[in-house]
Amino acid sequence: MRRGLRRVVALIAVAAVAVGVGGCSAPSDEWSTSSTVIAGGSTTGVYYDYGEHLAGELSTRLGTPVTVAETNGSVDNLLRIASGRAVVGFAQGDAAADAVAGTGVFQEPLAVKAVARLYDEYLHIVVRADSRIDDVRDLAGMRISLGAENSGVHVIATRLLEAAGVDAATISDPQLGLAESIDAMQSSDIDGFFWVGGLPTPGIAQLAENIPVRLLPVEQAWVNSVNASHSGAYRPADIPAGTYGIEEPTLTMAVPNFLMTATDTPDAVVEDIVSTLFDARSRIAQEVPVAARLDRRQAIFTEPVELHPGALTYYRDTRN
């Protein structure tokens, strides 16, 4: 960006703050040495949708292309961020907690930190409306996708099955991502699939328009059991009536979703990202409804994952 234009943008930002409106400051020069890729997820999921719109906003702000990458989800995103292949990415709170602790699927701690808590994600266990599967314990012996390899979906699916007393080895699991699971469901190649995402997840909404679906309920005792054995990141939740054309609410479990970055990402770059995230919230929410749930007061609650210093600076400098 030219020096004169940078100064105009900075002055506009100062004026906006003065009247109580969040504005953008000039982007940091440290972007020249940083990745410009956002680690998203399945192209039919909320991660990719959110990431695509955030990438567009950052591209406009920076004057340089920022792109979103299709990935397998949380675990894959965290690995990409830690290796420098993405500047930020989306991750479930449980997977992020495992990453910083070096537990679960992570053989050693990853040098990653949180940028913001974005919204809660909901576990979906999707079957056809006319399926004979009525309960999680009916999944034994069935063809069920437990999520793609290196996905947060697979993490939650295996933990829930253990809590429900279902041996995952008895399930025929093709390890599909969301888009592939939807295709396989429509062609009757699988009996159901697990998914963890915001409400509504676009791909599942489209699937429900093509074939009637049901969501299997999750008992609170199972949620409590998973929490006792793992990070404590989960809570009982309802998927509201009317979602995906299902008349009754469905008991399930929810987990917070974080925007993550590498520990060594320059502070100024993270400040640019989190500032853009909040400044563009209403615009992004017009296309990605969960973006409206971003809340400055809640965004800082990412424990046990530490906030990046650049994000902390933004939150402290923009306190009311």
Side-chain angles (χ1 to χ4, degrees), residues 114-272:
V115 174
R117 177 174 178 159
L118 300 177
Y119 59 90
D120 280 357
E121 299 187 277
Y122 294 77
L123 173 62
H124 300 60
I125 310 173
V126 185
V127 298
R128 287 175 175 266
D130 59 1
S131 172
R132 59 189 175 90
I133 301 172
D134 294 317
D135 187 278
V136 170
R137 286 160 291 205
D138 296 334
L139 297 179
M142 296 295 179
R143 301 167 300 171
I144 306 293
S145 175
L146 306 182
E149 183 181 5
N150 283 342
S151 69
V153 178
H154 196 269
V155 171
I156 287 187
T158 53
R159 289 176 178 179
L160 178 71
L161 290 171
E162 180 182 10
V166 178
D167 183 356
T170 65
I171 293 175
S172 177
D173 173 22
Q175 293 189 323
L176 304 176
L178 178 60
E180 294 79 13
S181 292
I182 290 169
D183 289 344
M185 175 78 87
Q186 292 185 132
S187 60
S188 299
D189 290 332
I190 59 174
D191 301 304
F193 62 89
F194 280 70
W195 174 250
V196 182
L199 298 178
T201 292
I204 298 178
Q206 183 61 53
L207 172 66
E209 291 183 6
N210 297 332
I211 58 171
V213 299
R214 284 188 290 110
L215 301 175
L216 300 185
V218 174
E219 296 181 9
Q220 182 168 341
W222 301 339
V223 182
N224 295 341
S225 177
V226 173
N227 273 332
S229 302
H230 300 284
S231 63
Y234 311 100
R235 66 174 179 85
D238 287 340
I239 295 179
T243 307
Y244 311 122
I246 300 170
E247 294 183 356
E248 300 295 327
T250 305
L251 291 172
T252 190
M253 60 194 288
V255 62
N257 169 257
F258 302 153
L259 189 66
M260 301 290 295
T261 193
T263 300
D264 62 1
T265 303
D267 290 4
V269 169
V270 175
E271 285 186 63
D272 282 342

